[in-house]
Amino acid sequence: MRRRRIRQVELSRELLRERYFSKLKATDELFVGIELEFPIVNLSAKAVVFSVVFELFAHIVDQLPFSIEKTDAFERPIQLVSDENEDRILFEVGYNTLEFAFDKAKTIQEVDDKFKQYLSVIQPFLKNHNHLLTGFGVNPFWHKNDNRPVASQRYEMLMAYLKLGRDTGVIQEERYQFGAFIQGSQVQLDVTPDTLMPTLNDFNAIEPAKAWLFANSYLWHTHLETLISRDIFWEESMHGVFDENVGVFTEYFEDQEQFLDYLEKTALFSSTSDDDIHYFNPIQADDYFNHDEISGFNLSGESNILTPSPYDFNEHRSYQYQSLTTRGTVEFRSSCAQPIADTFTVAAFHLGLMVELPAFTELVKSHPFYEDYGRDYKQLRRRFAAQHLSDDEVNDVAMFAKDLLDLATSGLKKRGFGEAVYLSALYQRIALKQNPALVGLKLFESGKTLSEISEIFANEKDF
């Protein structure tokens, strides 16, 4: 029995090793991958009208060089692909979120130019129907929208899996549908075997500063004190049943083997076959093959007995804020969607620091911020995402963010593409000691409606 368990643990470890480490890059050449999610809002402060967003996809295909790549169960387009590159425009989890998944690029400007082109078609269409794409990290009318999942197996399975959390008390009420009303700004950067560990460790260490700098998902109509409700949803959902599966790393990784130890504590929760897709209560990877049978559910809610298979590891995903992907990149996924005028601040910040990785490592090792606040990064991220901070806390985190921003600026200038311009909005935030979530709250307190604030956050210039 002991030998069998050892073989099972070794199998899960090697499956994870192959899935995540086999694609690491051999060179230091940096490409940038950017994924942007934005909420669609009905400016009448009502639920998004689905007929409008379905018509939007037809309009995009008519006006831009895009083709239909995927449809839902009712043959409605849900994912478009560019005829000229690998850009995609799609619904993310639900029909109230539009995602732009851009092809890898040499410079941020390449992506910015295409984004402006796409918006020039999308926004006028939505405005003509009293809707808008706006720059919030949570849909301001989340409580009014129809947050059903996109009618495709993957999204329906994901929503059903998250609903298990409501049934077991992990998440209350209808908030298990959070995947359909939160939005992020995600960046992927290439890593090599040598840069992987410092990348994971260093960016993990600055999550407190990022929380304050990029906060933009205050959950309207509730009493959550945080400015980043996305964290609460991720960490207190079924994704967070195991701490290692989501959020901030709780360890410092000395080498790949230690990181693999950590990955083995992440979860599997779905299995796909030719006939059906199933979900089940999460099982940690290193324990997966200790189960001869697993009780799972299909999309009809029927219970079935499943047999663990190595193929199930093709479904493995973790939800850490610094995630090693199967493409040889690290994906940074903790930042909220930003006001549209500031969209590329997130990519510029991460890219600049990556260029200066050795200096970044030294800064993180010795910065005085940690002397005052310690290194419980998870607790600190929650602390600096709070709505109410003391003057000392604001001053200290702003100084830390400024030092990081200066280093990112140095890195972007070394690249020589003029990308440092995308950081100017972050310097303004530091000078004013505010972030987008605080700006939105101040506008609301001054008498602006959420529809009016949505229009302000959708402005492409001068946010």
Side-chain angles (χ1 to χ4, degrees):
M1 179 63 74
R2 183 173 180 273
R3 287 183 179 178
R4 178 171 177 265
R5 173 167 170 74
I6 290 172
R7 288 196 300 270
Q8 291 165 339
V9 171
E10 289 175 349
L11 176 58
S12 65
R13 189 177 186 85
E14 292 312 307
L15 288 169
L16 289 171
R17 189 193 303 276
E18 172 64 23
R19 180 166 172 78
Y20 291 105
F21 289 94
S22 62
K23 302 293 174 54
L24 292 175
K25 303 298 189 295
T27 70
D28 291 329
E29 187 176 16
L30 261 182
F31 289 92
V32 59
I34 298 175
E35 297 177 9
L36 306 171
E37 301 165 355
F38 296 101
I40 303 168
V41 297
N42 183 336
L43 293 174
S44 298
K46 298 178 181 178
V48 168
V49 178
F50 282 176
S51 61
V52 171
V53 294
F54 296 145
E55 290 170 17
L56 170 64
F57 271 43
H59 181 69
I60 292 171
V61 170
D62 183 59
Q63 297 294 315
L64 292 169
F66 274 79
S67 300
I68 298 170
E69 185 174 33
K70 292 182 181 179
T71 57
D72 66 12
F74 304 99
E75 299 300 318
R76 298 174 301 214
I78 57 172
Q79 181 166 303
L80 310 177
V81 62
S82 171
D83 300 332
E84 301 174 344
N85 50 59
E86 291 298 310
D87 289 357
R88 287 171 170 80
I89 300 175
L90 60 145
F91 292 118
E92 170 65 13
V93 182
Y95 295 107
N96 304 309
T97 297
L98 201 65
E99 177 179 333
F100 301 85
F102 292 95
D103 195 0
K104 69 177 185 179
K106 273 283 193 181
T107 70
I108 297 174
Q109 284 94 332
E110 294 174 40
V111 182
D112 188 9
D113 289 344
K114 292 186 293 184
F115 181 57
K116 287 185 171 68
Q117 179 190 6
Y118 302 159
L119 278 188
S120 71
V121 170
I122 291 169
Q123 291 290 49
F125 178 89
L126 289 175
K127 287 178 183 177
N128 285 340
H129 293 81
N130 206 35
H131 284 60
L132 196 64
L133 208 64
T134 191
F136 279 122
V138 64
N139 197 305
F141 305 120
W142 67 273
H143 63 306
K144 295 182 178 181
N145 282 333
D146 181 342
N147 292 309
R148 74 179 72 175
V150 169
S152 67
Q153 281 198 334
R154 173 68 191 172
Y155 289 133
E156 289 176 334
M157 180 279 294
L158 183 61
M159 194 75 81
Y161 170 69
L162 291 172
K163 189 178 179 181
L164 290 175
R166 187 193 69 171
D167 298 338
T168 58
V170 179
I171 271 194
Q172 303 296 319
E173 304 168 5
E174 297 304 304
R175 295 185 194 173
Y176 74 88
Q177 296 178 317
F178 69 89
F181 59 78
I182 62 171
Q183 291 78 30
S185 179
Q186 295 163 189
V187 188
Q188 292 191 41
L189 298 175
D190 297 314
V191 288
T192 67
D194 289 336
T195 61
L196 175 58
M197 291 305 114
T199 297
L200 296 177
N201 290 325
D202 295 348
F203 281 97
N204 190 62
I206 65 166
E207 284 297 343
K210 285 175 56 180
W212 178 79
L213 196 57
F214 295 110
N216 193 29
S217 60
Y218 177 76
L219 191 68
W220 305 95
H221 320 290
T222 68
H223 300 291
L224 285 180
E225 205 266 350
T226 183
L227 300 179
I228 308 182
S229 61
R230 294 173 70 249
D231 283 10
I232 306 295
F233 292 131
W234 282 112
E235 295 172 21
E236 297 185 8
S237 72
M238 292 297 290
H239 290 319
V241 169
F242 302 116
D243 289 341
E244 295 89 348
N245 199 59
V246 68
V248 177
F249 294 125
T250 57
E251 295 182 20
Y252 179 93
F253 303 116
E254 297 287 350
D255 52 35
Q256 288 186 15
E257 295 306 308
Q258 186 180 352
F259 181 55
L260 263 176
D261 291 342
Y262 200 89
L263 278 183
E264 285 192 290
K265 299 300 180 183
T266 59
L268 289 95
F269 62 87
S270 67
S271 174
T272 301
S273 67
D274 293 336
D275 301 323
D276 215 340
I277 186 169
H278 289 82
Y279 60 95
F280 43 85
N281 281 304
I283 301 172
Q284 288 178 303
D286 65 354
D287 187 40
Y288 195 64
F289 293 113
N290 292 326
H291 297 257
D292 295 324
E293 296 180 337
I294 297 171
S295 179
F297 305 90
N298 65 16
L299 295 183
S300 299
E302 299 168 336
S303 178
N304 291 289
I305 299 301
L306 312 174
T307 301
S309 164
Y311 292 107
D312 296 339
F313 277 70
N314 294 331
E315 304 290 316
H316 178 271
R317 291 171 172 83
S318 60
Y319 296 87
Q320 296 138 350
Y321 293 159
Q322 277 67 233
S323 289
L324 177 60
T325 75
T326 58
R327 295 175 290 277
T329 64
V330 169
E331 182 175 55
F332 306 99
R333 58 194 314 165
S334 65
S335 299
C336 306
Q338 299 296 289
I340 287 180
D342 299 349
T343 291
F344 295 100
T345 55
V346 175
F349 180 80
H350 289 82
L351 180 59
L353 289 175
M354 183 66 101
V355 174
E356 291 283 11
L357 191 57
F360 183 22
T361 298
E362 290 304 311
L363 185 150
V364 167
K365 280 183 181 177
S366 59
H367 200 280
F369 177 85
Y370 301 110
E371 295 177 15
D372 294 333
Y373 293 97
R375 290 185 179 270
D376 185 341
Y377 305 134
K378 181 174 182 177
Q379 180 271 328
L380 289 176
R381 180 169 168 86
R382 285 287 181 96
R383 178 173 178 175
F384 286 95
Q387 183 177 347
H388 302 289
L389 297 173
S390 70
D391 289 344
D392 285 344
E393 287 174 319
V394 171
N395 290 332
D396 290 342
V397 75
M399 288 177 62
F400 185 23
K402 170 68 161 50
D403 291 339
L404 292 167
L405 199 52
D406 287 345
L407 189 59
T409 298
S410 172
L412 293 179
K413 286 182 176 178
K414 281 184 179 180
R415 282 170 54 82
F417 299 122
E419 294 160 314
V421 66
Y422 293 106
L423 298 176
S424 59
L426 300 184
Y427 279 109
Q428 185 177 19
R429 291 180 193 179
I430 289 169
L432 298 175
K433 306 289 177 63
Q434 64 183 17
N435 53 46
L438 291 174
V439 172
L441 281 166
K442 288 178 181 177
L443 289 169
F444 189 74
E445 291 166 1
S446 73
K448 296 286 186 184
T449 67
L450 287 177
S451 293
E452 290 171 330
I453 299 170
S454 294
E455 293 188 86
I456 293 170
F457 275 55
N459 192 348
E460 293 180 48
K461 296 180 180 179
D462 304 324
F463 167 71

